[in-house]
């Protein structure tokens, strides 16, 4: 085993690379990426210098929400391969010293999961129905939904079923698409099934789980009406009284899961997707007996402004530090506008809105790339664990010109196109300029169309090219490791208003978030997000100095 595997607490400093399997690499030419494709491209990840891979869901699913609608938690969807392909990928990753995190979706199943089919067949008030949140409708004939909750993807969060005898029946809750019925986590039967699912993957050798919607599994008693603040994000946010987000009862579930993980030898981890503010509240998800890490969405949502960044970094280190957890840092994932495009828009559109042909504002690609790289260089110098979303190491922008007919995100469908949704960050990534589908698939087929510019971002067009985004990521990840930045402490240095500077691990990090060039302190440049030197740090640029 490579030495990394012997180290406990590996996750405290890890760089975790998110693979969205549909869009990473397609080995069989059907236009959808697969596990064998990931296996074939593992060397690109070791070359990049990451420590772990998080795979978005590849389990059996009708794919109504990109696999976040699971119909069998313990099998691989044929679209992505087989369990043998998964084992092969896991072995290939472990042989290279890469850990593997799988995505677990416990808040809801697919409506095609046998548990839901059995619930429908079993009839009202049966134990099978009690796995989900079925309720009688309001109104004289139950014709109105049980409460006023709205789906994160738009429209009501309730769908009425038709009973076996053809009469209109109860309603079931779905915080997301109607194909994603919410489980009732107050039911011990549900809890026991998920212990089994955890063990299934732990027995196969996975290094941990990214837990989907980890702030949503428990709903307030009585399911009271709730009208969200239209300005707040649909996944939660500042509001403290949302009856379906951040309920106290979720913590008991993670304490239980932590015990399951501790039945295993080397350290396996739980990572929370919990859109909870403030960060001091989010930190409750990573108390010593709960999860290990939580995505720092407060950081992700911070604009590229010196004052705001300094505040969120301090708040993060303090909040997570107070419970003994590392902070994480993340700028992009499969649910948000890719950060080069997002940071070029001030203010950015709310999460889930996306960018499309009819959007009022469009980011400038070059400004975005420069700013995105500067933001990455700032992030990778911070102590803790960092996330990199596939394609960001190539500098990919959000694809904003997808034709409506190609869009697949339920957000787009459920809002009748009012919100473009998340397809623009999910376009299959380019590997080889000039190859069919830019090397994503052998046949040139791609489940979302790739834009013309994709070839110029291809990995082979950047590999070994000084100043390319790929080489910048490789250099930054290597220097991060060499100088122990992830395990370090930061000390802020006083600067002019648009500039941020701190010391960590013997380096000085200087980020110019403004547009006007500033003077660069003395020192040898170890990493630079863009052209800099001769005493000048241009706008939207970050350097690491020795
Ligand atoms: C999480 C996932 C997102 C998915 C949703 C419902 O937010 O990251 O992609 O649509 O949960 O499972």
């Amino acid at each position: 085993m490579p030495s990394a595997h012997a180290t406990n607490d590996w996750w405290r400093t890890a760089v975790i690379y998110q693979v969205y399997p549909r869009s990473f690499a397609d080995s069989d030419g059907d236009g959808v990426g697969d596990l064998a494709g990931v296996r074939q491209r593992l060397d690109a990840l070791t070359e990049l210098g990451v420590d772990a891979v998080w795979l978005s869901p590849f389990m059996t699913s009708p794919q109504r929400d990109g696999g976040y609608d699971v119909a069998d938690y313990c099998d691989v969807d044929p679209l992505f391969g087989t369990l043998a392909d998964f084992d092969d990928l896991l072995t290939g990753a472990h042989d290279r010293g890469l850990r593997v995190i799988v995505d677990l979706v416990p808040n809801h199943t697919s409506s095609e999961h046998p548990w839901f089919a059995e619930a429908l067949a079993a009839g009202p008030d049966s134990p099978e129905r009690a796995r989900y949140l079925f309720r009688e409708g309001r109104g004289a004939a139950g014709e109105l939904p049980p409460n006023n909750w709205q789906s994160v993807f738009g429209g009501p969060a309730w769908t009425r079923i038709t009973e076996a005898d053809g009469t209109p029946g109860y309603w079931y809750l779905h915080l997301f698409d109607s194909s994603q019925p919410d489980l009732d986590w107050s039911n011990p039967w549900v809890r026991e099934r998920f212990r089994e699912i955890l063990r299934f993957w732990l027995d196969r050798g996975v290094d941990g789980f990214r837990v989907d919607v980890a702030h949503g599994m428990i709903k307030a008693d009585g399911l009271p009406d709730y009208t969200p603040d239209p300005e707040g994000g649909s996944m939660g946010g500042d509001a403290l009284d949302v009856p379906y987000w951040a309920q106290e009862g979720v913590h008991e579930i993670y304490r239980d899961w932590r015990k399951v993980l501790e039945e295993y030898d080397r350290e396996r981890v739980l990572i929370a997707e919990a859109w909870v503010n403030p960060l001091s509240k989010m930190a409750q998800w990573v108390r010593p007996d709960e999860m290990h890490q939580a995505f720092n969405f407060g950081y992700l949502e911070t604009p590229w402004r010196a004052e705001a960044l300094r505040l969120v970094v301090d708040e993060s280190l303090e909040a997570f530090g107070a419970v003994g957890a590392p902070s994480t840092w993340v700028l992009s994932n499969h649910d948000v506008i890719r950060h080069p495009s997002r940071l070029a828009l001030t203010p950015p559109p709310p999460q889930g809105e996306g960018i499309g042909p009819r959007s009022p504002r469009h980011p400038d690609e070059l400004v975005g790339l420069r700013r995105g790289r500067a933001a990455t260089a700032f992030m990778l110098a911070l102590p803790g664990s960092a996330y990199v979303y596939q394609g960001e190491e190539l500098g990919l922008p959000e694809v904003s010109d997808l034709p409506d007919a190609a869009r697949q995100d339920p957000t787009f469908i459920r809002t009748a196109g009012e919100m473009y949704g998340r397809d623009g960050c999910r376009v299959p990534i380019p590997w080889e300029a000039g190859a069919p589908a830019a090397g994503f698939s052998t046949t040139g087929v791609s489940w979302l169309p790739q834009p013309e510019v994709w070839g110029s971002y291809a990995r082979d067009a950047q590999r070994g090219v000084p100043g390319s985004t790929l080489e910048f990521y490789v250099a930054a990840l290597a220097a991060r490791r060499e100088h122990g930045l992830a395990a370090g402490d930061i000390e802020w240095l006083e600067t002019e208003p648009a500039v941020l500077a701190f010391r960590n691990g013997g380096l000085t990090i200087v980020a110019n978030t403004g547009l006007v060039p500033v003077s660069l302190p003395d020192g040898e440049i170890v990493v630079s997000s863009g052209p800099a030197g001769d005493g000048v740090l241009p706008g939207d640029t970050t350097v690491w100095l020795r």
Side-chain angles (χ1 to χ4, degrees):
M1 279 283 161
S3 59
H5 270 261
T7 325
N8 271 345
D9 281 10
W10 60 273
W11 45 276
R12 289 183 177 274
T13 54
V15 175
I16 304 179
Y17 183 95
Q18 181 187 359
V19 167
Y20 192 68
R22 308 171 69 75
S23 304
F24 188 71
D26 171 20
S27 73
D28 60 8
D30 66 354
V32 179
D34 44 46
L35 296 181
V38 185
R39 171 76 182 78
Q40 288 164 11
R41 297 287 192 181
L42 282 176
D43 287 335
L45 301 187
T46 41
E47 219 177 275
L48 180 61
V50 299
D51 304 295
V53 182
W54 148 36
L55 298 161
S56 276
F58 51 80
M59 294 82 187
T60 311
S61 162
Q63 304 292 326
R64 295 279 293 273
D65 181 23
Y68 284 93
D69 49 326
V70 179
D72 183 348
Y73 289 93
C74 299
D75 206 351
V76 173
D77 194 283
L79 197 58
F80 298 122
T82 61
L83 276 172
D85 292 328
F86 175 77
D87 291 341
D88 201 31
L89 167 56
L90 189 64
T91 308
H94 282 169
D95 286 348
R96 289 166 176 77
L98 289 169
R99 319 246 173 188
V100 178
I101 309 291
V102 296
D103 214 313
L104 185 71
V105 188
N107 178 67
H108 44 264
T109 70
S110 161
S111 52
E112 292 184 23
H113 196 292
W115 299 342
F116 193 71
E118 286 159 17
L120 291 182
D125 306 319
S126 59
E128 288 82 358
R129 288 260 172 115
R131 300 164 181 171
Y132 294 89
L133 289 153
F134 283 91
R135 293 291 182 276
E136 230 172 333
R138 292 192 285 198
E143 73 282 9
L144 299 172
N147 68 23
N148 71 348
W149 296 359
Q150 294 291 298
S151 150
V152 170
F153 296 153
W158 294 92
T159 292
R160 192 173 198 184
I161 62 160
T162 303
E163 300 292 353
D165 63 3
T167 56
Y170 279 31
W171 299 69
Y172 67 88
L173 177 71
H174 50 87
L175 291 182
F176 295 90
D177 188 51
S178 55
S179 64
Q180 295 165 297
D182 280 52
L183 287 163
D184 184 350
W185 272 89
S186 68
N187 183 339
W189 184 91
V190 170
R191 294 192 184 213
E192 189 51 30
R193 298 290 79 69
F194 274 84
R195 286 183 203 109
E196 291 163 2
I197 292 163
L198 288 173
R199 291 193 181 102
F200 175 85
W201 292 104
L202 290 165
D203 288 341
R204 288 201 110 77
V206 303
D207 298 285
F209 302 89
R210 176 264 188 192
V211 180
D212 193 62
V213 198
H215 60 320
M217 290 151 68
I218 296 286
K219 282 78 182 174
D221 281 346
L223 312 180
D225 276 350
Y226 177 74
T227 306
D229 170 2
E231 299 297 307
S234 55
M235 286 293 279
D238 293 318
L240 293 174
D241 53 351
V242 191
Y244 42 87
W245 297 141
Q247 294 292 307
E248 184 54 34
V250 296
H251 297 290
E252 187 186 312
I253 301 171
Y254 307 133
R255 286 189 201 106
D256 180 48
W257 289 8
R258 180 73 177 239
K259 290 193 195 115
V260 174
L261 264 68
E262 283 168 0
E263 291 165 13
Y264 289 79
D265 51 1
R266 60 197 157 75
E267 193 149 12
R268 327 276 181 121
V269 297
L270 293 168
I271 301 163
E273 188 219 15
W275 296 76
V276 177
N277 282 342
L279 286 168
S280 54
K281 172 129 190 192
M282 190 198 270
Q284 294 178 354
W285 271 249
V286 291
R287 287 176 289 199
D289 57 348
E290 295 192 39
M291 299 201 172
H292 297 75
Q293 284 191 358
F295 292 100
N296 190 338
F297 293 124
Y299 182 74
L300 184 150
E301 289 176 329
T302 302
W304 178 237
R305 283 210 321 269
E307 196 187 343
L309 281 167
R310 183 169 168 167
L311 266 176
V312 75
V313 168
D314 282 341
E315 189 189 343
S316 304
L317 294 173
E318 190 186 320
F320 292 113
V323 291
S327 183
T328 65
W329 312 103
V330 57
L331 288 167
S332 281
N333 65 32
H334 66 294
D335 290 329
V336 300
I337 295 171
R338 281 187 177 274
H339 72 271
S341 305
R342 192 181 70 238
L343 295 174
L345 290 177
T346 317
Q351 194 274 326
E353 192 166 300
I355 316 174
R358 294 180 302 276
S359 295
R361 296 176 299 145
H362 287 266
D364 181 281
E365 199 172 320
L366 289 179
V367 170
L369 183 58
R370 220 182 39 227
R371 201 168 286 169
R373 284 170 51 152
T376 298
F378 181 78
M379 170 178 93
L380 291 178
L382 295 169
S385 174
Y387 283 83
V388 171
Y389 173 51
Q390 66 177 38
E392 70 169 82
E393 75 280 19
L394 306 175
L396 297 184
E398 182 82 356
V399 178
S400 58
D401 60 355
L402 288 171
D404 286 1
R407 292 192 179 267
Q408 304 205 11
D409 184 351
T411 311
F412 181 77
I413 298 161
R414 288 180 66 87
T415 62
E418 202 179 299
M419 286 169 78
Y420 279 108
R422 304 160 295 173
D423 290 316
C425 65
R426 299 175 176 180
V427 174
I429 63 171
W431 294 90
E432 285 130 31
F440 163 68
S441 74
T442 46
T443 52
V445 187
S446 166
W447 72 278
L448 281 173
Q450 298 166 307
E452 287 288 320
V453 294
W454 243 215
S456 64
Y457 285 98
R459 185 171 186 275
D460 73 341
Q462 299 195 39
R463 192 163 173 244
V465 177
S468 70
T469 304
L470 179 64
E471 292 305 327
F472 151 67
Y473 267 77
V474 169
L477 290 172
R480 181 181 192 273
R481 190 182 302 248
E482 186 192 331
H483 295 276
L485 302 187
D489 282 311
I490 67 167
E491 181 201 332
W492 293 107
L493 305 174
E494 290 318 315
T495 56
E496 44 199 300
V499 178
L500 283 172
F502 62 85
R503 297 276 303 160
N504 183 8
L507 298 183
T508 302
I509 288 79
V510 190
N512 182 0
T513 68
L515 298 174
V516 183
V518 296
S519 59
L520 185 65
D522 290 339
E524 177 203 344
I525 296 182
V526 177
V527 169
S528 178
S529 71
D534 293 333
V536 178
L537 179 63
D540 287 340
T541 306
T542 301
V543 292
W544 300 3
L545 301 166
R546 179 165 27 206

